[in-house]
């Protein structure tokens, strides 16, 4: 027979709100199992008869019998005909009641590997649901032609049937790789073929693959300074040494690559639209980077994250298309051009890297889901991708101009905006020695999402300010957000 405390423990488990989703017999079974695991019920101890326990718990006997039956099947109890139910001798290894499980402490740090600790430091956890005003790099999703996408997805399911539900090719669906190759060749001046395209979930996954497949911990990689924070986090997590290279109005000072005297295995570039400054890498510097990579047998990681949205003519040809020596890995994503929930990015690889990169990718997540890939391929082949990008390019240009006008009218005393020629965000410098961290934190409390510039620098030079996204919000929403930001400055000033 259970002691009073044991019976109360079972009753507490049954009444626990966290357990209410479970059937009643499962709650009783788990309560008794936990008493056994904690050593409260020793091996060989008899359990109450099912009829008596049912009366004590005010449940049916069948419910208790179902709980006992599951405990017996799992080996926690033995059922002897004519004698009753007993705690199994196989439970002897369970801890004694004096060493019952100690509840976990939230402040207790888990022991991680060096790389695990680096990934934890660099990764962070951020909720992306419902982007707040000024969040950088977030596209407008309300204008996406979702009816077209739905129709194309129905066509995919009708044509491929259950085959679309199976595993997909590790390198990606061939029709999508072909569509991507055609797109980057036409629009970005790349040299791509379907065989050299690797489909991934994101550009961040591409950066992580590059950092771990091409370089070893301790290797040096040259990076723009300031640099895209996602790239730096991927490189730091892989144990690489990021060597900062300064920028000017024409992008990275590529003359520093050779003049630095520091041997590097790779260089990371955002040449079409440098993040966060918005500068475009000049042609002579693109060619200089290619020559440096050839001489040093180094790699160029070209992140072309939002070149579709260039508001003054066409963007210059990508570095990969100029590189005759196959030292450039071209990284692209549909997160900015379509919608973040799609989770499709890609790399155009030098031929010798296709097989090793594909093999390494299978260790991360095996493959990308076939249905979105097949739907996206049709979306591109049918001309819908180009039409959507052209439509959004006009919308984003208007919102960029609207934000610049609002900042000039309402925040001229505090901010110096640098209106970009492309992209989805605008860098702004702080005036009057205002502390960047305080402003960013105060804006966050007001529901605004500003990305500080100082944290993007690898070297010592830091220009206080922040990046303001403008693509995801209408002119009226931008107007309200700028007025809210003005109140933040006014409050801080007082």
């Amino acid at each position: 027979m259970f002691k009073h405390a044991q019976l109360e423990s079972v009753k507490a488990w049954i009444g626990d709100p966290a357990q209410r989703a479970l059937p009643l017999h499962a709650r009783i079974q788990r309560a008794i199992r936990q008493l056994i695991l904690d050593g409260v019920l020793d091996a060989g101890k008899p359990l109450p008869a099912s009829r008596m326990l049912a009366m004590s718990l005010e449940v049916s006997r069948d419910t208790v019998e179902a709980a006992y039956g599951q405990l017996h099947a799992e080996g926690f109890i033995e059922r002897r005909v004519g004698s009753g139910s007993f705690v199994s001798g196989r439970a002897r290894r369970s801890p004694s009641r004096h060493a019952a499980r100690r509840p976990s402490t939230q402040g207790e740090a888990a022991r991680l590997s060096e790389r695990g600790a680096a990934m934890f430091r660099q990764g962070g956890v951020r909720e992306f649901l419902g982007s707040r005003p000024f969040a950088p790099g977030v596209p407008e999703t309300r204008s996406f032609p979702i009816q077209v996408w739905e129709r194309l997805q129905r066509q995919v399911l009708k044509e491929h049937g259950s085959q679309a539900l199976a595993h997909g090719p590790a390198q990606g669906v061939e029709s999508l790789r072909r569509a991507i190759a055609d797109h980057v060749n036409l629009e970005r001046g790349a040299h791509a073929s379907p065989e050299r395209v690797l489909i991934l979930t994101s550009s961040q996954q591409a950066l992580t693959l590059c950092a771990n497949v091409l370089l070893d911990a301790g290797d040096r990689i040259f990076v723009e300074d300031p640099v895209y924070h996602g790239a730096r986090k991927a490189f730091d997590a892989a144990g690489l040494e990021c060597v900062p290279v300064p920028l000017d109005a024409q992008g990275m000072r590529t003359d520093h690559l050779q003049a630095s005297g520091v041997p590097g295995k790779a260089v990371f570039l955002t040449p079409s639209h440098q993040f966060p400054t918005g500068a475009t890498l000049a042609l002579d510097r693109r060619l200089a980077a290619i020559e440096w990579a050839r001489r040093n047998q180094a790699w160029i990681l070209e992140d072309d994250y939002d070149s579709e949205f260039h508001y003054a003519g066409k963007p210059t040809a990508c570095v990969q298309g100029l590189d005759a020596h196959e030292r450039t890995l071209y990284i692209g994503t549909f997160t900015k051009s379509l919608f973040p929930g799609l989770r499709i990015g890609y790399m155009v690889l030098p031929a010798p890297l296709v097989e090793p990169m594909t093999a390494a990718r299978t260790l991360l997540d095996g493959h990308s889901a076939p249905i979105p890939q097949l739907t996206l391929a049709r979306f591109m082949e049918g001309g819908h991708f180009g039409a959507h990008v052209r439509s959004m390019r006009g919308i984003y240009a208007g919102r960029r101009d609207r934000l610049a006008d609002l900042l000039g009218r309402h925040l001229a005393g505090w901010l110096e905006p640098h209106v970009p020629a492309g992209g989805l965000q605008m860098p702004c410098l702080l005036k009057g020695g205002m502390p960047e961290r305080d402003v960013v934190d105060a804006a966050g409390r007001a529901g605004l999402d500003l990305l500080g510039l100082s944290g993007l620098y690898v070297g010592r030079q830091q220009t206080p300010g922040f990046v303001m996204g403008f693509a995801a919000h209408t002119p009226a929403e931008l107007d309200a957000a700028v007025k809210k930001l003005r109140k933040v400055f006014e409050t801080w000033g007082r």
Side-chain angles (χ1 to χ4, degrees):
M1 176 64 66
F2 278 174
K3 294 180 181 179
H4 177 73
Q6 296 164 358
L7 184 62
E8 291 301 313
S9 177
V10 175
K11 289 182 177 179
W13 189 286
I14 293 173
D16 184 356
Q19 308 296 328
R20 284 179 183 165
L22 296 173
L24 186 55
H25 75 274
R27 283 181 265 169
I28 296 172
Q29 177 252 334
R30 293 190 182 193
I32 297 174
R33 183 181 67 184
Q34 196 60 52
L35 290 174
I36 295 172
L37 289 172
D38 288 345
V40 176
L41 297 177
D42 294 328
K45 185 175 181 66
L47 298 179
S50 58
R51 188 185 305 275
M52 294 179 63
L53 183 57
M55 291 175 59
S56 299
L57 298 177
E58 298 180 349
V59 299
S60 72
R61 185 183 179 188
D62 288 344
T63 299
V64 175
E65 279 292 333
Y68 277 6
Q70 184 62 30
L71 288 166
H72 176 66
E74 294 179 359
F76 283 97
I77 68 173
E78 299 171 357
R79 309 201 76 177
R80 304 170 191 168
V81 178
S83 298
S85 301
F86 301 82
V87 177
S88 172
R90 284 177 285 183
R92 289 183 185 276
R93 292 180 179 271
S94 299
S96 70
R97 64 178 60 114
H98 302 294
R101 282 197 297 186
R102 177 172 54 88
S104 60
T105 305
Q106 287 189 346
E108 189 175 308
R111 296 184 63 181
L112 305 176
S113 67
E114 289 186 12
R115 177 160 288 181
M119 293 174 70
F120 177 58
R121 288 193 303 270
Q122 301 302 328
V125 179
R126 179 181 177 187
E127 292 292 343
F128 290 95
L129 300 178
S131 65
R132 302 194 300 177
F134 305 136
V138 180
E140 169 65 85
T141 56
R142 291 167 291 188
S143 300
F144 183 77
I146 196 166
Q147 293 84 5
V148 174
W149 185 270
E150 183 181 19
R151 173 171 57 82
L152 296 176
Q153 184 167 282
R154 286 199 305 269
Q155 292 177 6
V156 165
L157 291 171
K158 183 176 181 180
E159 178 178 331
H160 294 271
S162 60
Q163 185 179 359
L165 309 180
H167 287 83
Q171 191 177 342
V173 172
E174 196 275 338
S175 59
L176 178 57
R177 290 189 282 113
R178 186 186 336 111
I180 289 172
D182 291 344
H183 168 69
V184 296
N185 287 341
L186 176 64
E187 299 293 336
R188 303 296 298 111
H191 287 303
S193 63
E195 297 74 24
R196 293 172 59 183
V197 174
L198 174 61
I199 305 299
L200 302 166
T201 57
S202 64
S203 57
Q204 192 65 36
Q205 187 182 54
L207 293 169
T208 298
L209 272 175
C210 292
N212 288 281
V213 175
L214 302 179
L215 298 99
D216 293 311
D219 282 348
R220 296 184 178 94
I221 179 170
F222 289 103
V223 298
E224 302 161 325
D225 199 27
V227 65
Y228 169 54
H229 49 296
R232 186 183 179 187
K233 289 179 177 181
F235 302 152
D236 286 347
L240 309 184
E241 180 185 342
C242 293
V243 180
V245 180
L247 306 172
D248 60 21
Q250 297 185 4
M252 175 186 273
R253 293 282 306 277
T254 51
D255 55 307
H256 283 232
L257 297 177
Q258 202 67 42
S260 68
V262 177
K265 295 288 186 69
V267 58
F268 172 73
L269 297 172
T270 51
S272 295
H273 180 230
Q274 200 278 330
F275 188 95
T277 66
T280 298
L281 189 63
L283 175 60
D284 59 330
R285 297 187 182 184
R286 295 172 186 241
L287 298 175
I290 293 171
E291 178 60 18
W292 171 83
R294 183 193 69 82
R295 287 183 181 178
N296 294 275
Q297 289 299 288
W299 300 107
I300 299 173
L301 310 184
E302 180 180 12
D303 187 359
D304 204 20
Y305 61 100
D306 66 359
S307 64
E308 289 89 357
F309 303 114
H310 199 81
Y311 309 125
K314 284 203 166 192
T316 54
C318 66
V319 173
Q320 191 271 353
L322 302 172
D323 182 5
H325 312 293
E326 293 204 3
R327 306 302 305 178
T328 303
L329 292 81
Y330 179 90
I331 300 170
T333 178
F334 293 96
T335 294
K336 310 290 190 296
S337 54
L338 293 180
F339 54 94
L342 182 58
R343 308 312 298 148
I344 293 181
Y346 60 91
M347 281 196 289
V348 179
L349 298 165
L353 290 182
V354 173
E355 190 172 352
M357 279 289 188
T358 303
R361 182 270 160 86
T362 63
L363 297 178
L364 297 180
D365 60 358
H367 67 101
S368 294
I371 295 174
Q373 290 187 71
L374 292 166
T375 305
L376 176 56
R378 292 188 178 223
F379 193 78
M380 299 179 75
E381 292 164 353
H384 306 293
F385 177 73
H388 178 66
V389 167
R390 288 190 294 273
S391 173
M392 299 313 297
R393 190 181 292 141
I395 291 173
Y396 292 160
R399 294 181 180 182
R400 175 202 62 172
D401 296 342
R402 177 68 171 176
L403 178 59
D405 177 65
L406 289 168
L407 295 178
R409 286 194 283 121
H410 296 288
L411 295 169
W414 293 288
L415 288 179
E416 178 188 331
H418 288 202
V419 182
L424 310 181
Q425 56 274 326
M426 182 181 300
C428 299
L429 304 183
L430 279 166
K431 293 182 178 180
M434 298 186 72
E436 175 192 292
R437 186 70 263 165
D438 290 352
V439 173
V440 170
D441 289 345
R445 291 190 294 272
L448 306 175
D449 197 345
L450 302 177
L451 175 64
L453 288 176
S454 297
L456 304 180
Y457 282 87
V458 181
R460 294 182 179 179
Q461 178 187 358
Q462 295 184 359
T463 303
F466 38 77
V467 180
M468 303 178 71
F470 54 77
H473 298 279
T474 65
E477 291 167 340
L478 289 174
D479 185 78
V482 167
K483 290 177 180 176
K484 186 180 291 188
L485 183 58
R486 176 171 180 166
K487 289 183 180 178
V488 169
F489 278 106
E490 290 173 345
T491 301
W492 187 92
R494 289 196 295 269

